[in-house]
Amino acid sequence: MTRATVLAFALGIALVAAMPNPVTAQIYRWVDENGNAHYVDGLDSVPQRYRSRATSLGMRNTPSPTQTAAPAGKGAASGGTTIRFTPGERIMADARINGRASVRLLLDTGADRTVIAPRALVASGVSITRGTTAGQIVGVTGAADVQGVRLESLEVGEARVTSLAVMSHDINQPGIDGLLGRDFLEQFKVTIDSSRGQVTIAPK
């Protein structure tokens, strides 16, 4: 092996090592004893007692080639808000998709991904193309298609995240359009005061 070949080989390894490693964990869905669905990255993120019933969605937490980089000036979190709720009850957040349609989302700190019903996405002008199914959820009522879509923005009060990839799926709970997950929440400083019935979402 010539010196030039050795140098080229070493340079190649250095370049590969320097490349950012995408997260490629499978996305799983599991349901707790209260019937609440949770979406997490990797089977290890599912509590031990629920792992045998967890379902892989056939999706990986990796952006598609067309979504690897957000447009300039996008992908940022800004603003903040306060959500009021009744202590002991579920926390509901009124949100806006792309600054247009309003949706009611269940705040779920156990969900890695924000999940929004297809009908709500379509009402906000988001295009959901047939034939782009990313996976399926199999339950007692049959299989349900799951797709990933990227929103221009998702807003809760004045708290806003741009270029957010969410899951298109109906969680089949009356009066709820989906789940507000950690992909949104972790971009802010979130404080939940159960005694006062107040969630504060503030810039980091």
Side-chain angles (χ1 to χ4, degrees), residues 15-25 61-63 68:
L15 287 173
V16 170
M19 289 180 180
N21 241 354
V23 178
T24 57
N61 182 12
T62 305
T68 300

Side-chain angles (χ1 to χ4, degrees), residues 5-197:
T5 302
V6 171
L7 287 174
F9 182 74
L11 179 60
I13 289 187
L15 287 173
V16 170
M19 289 180 180
N21 241 354
V23 178
T24 57
Q26 286 275 357
I27 297 177
Y28 282 81
R29 178 182 185 267
W30 60 276
V31 179
D32 61 26
E33 62 272 11
N34 296 316
N36 298 316
H38 303 265
Y39 299 81
V40 296
D41 289 338
L43 189 59
D44 289 344
S45 298
V46 178
Q48 183 69 41
R49 65 183 182 276
Y50 298 113
R51 287 183 188 173
S52 62
R53 292 178 288 168
T55 305
S56 171
L57 303 187
M59 300 174 65
R60 290 186 179 274
N61 182 12
T62 305
S64 68
T66 59
Q67 297 176 344
T68 300
K74 296 293 184 73
S78 60
T81 193
T82 299
I83 302 171
R84 305 282 182 181
F85 67 97
T86 301
E89 296 187 4
R90 296 185 294 185
I91 302 173
M92 302 303 302
D94 292 317
R96 291 185 305 280
I97 301 173
N98 297 345
R100 304 184 192 101
S102 296
V103 291
R104 194 157 176 75
L105 304 178
L106 172 64
L107 190 150
D108 187 350
T109 57
D112 277 4
R113 296 291 178 194
T114 292
V115 182
I116 301 178
R119 55 179 166 70
L121 292 168
V122 171
S124 68
V126 175
S127 176
I128 302 177
T129 307
R130 287 190 175 187
T132 59
T133 302
Q136 288 192 322
I137 293 175
V138 180
V140 294
T141 59
D145 290 340
V146 176
Q147 294 174 293
V149 296
R150 185 172 292 273
L151 307 182
E152 294 172 14
S153 66
L154 184 65
E155 303 166 39
V156 177
E158 297 301 316
R160 182 173 187 262
V161 174
T162 59
S163 192
L164 181 68
V166 304
M167 294 171 62
S168 169
H169 177 61
D170 195 338
I171 65 171
N172 294 316
Q173 293 196 35
I176 301 177
D177 297 311
L179 307 175
L180 185 65
R182 293 202 307 268
D183 50 354
F184 181 95
L185 297 171
E186 288 183 349
Q187 300 197 51
F188 300 91
K189 180 180 178 181
V190 178
T191 304
I192 301 177
D193 188 335
S194 297
S195 61
R196 298 176 60 188

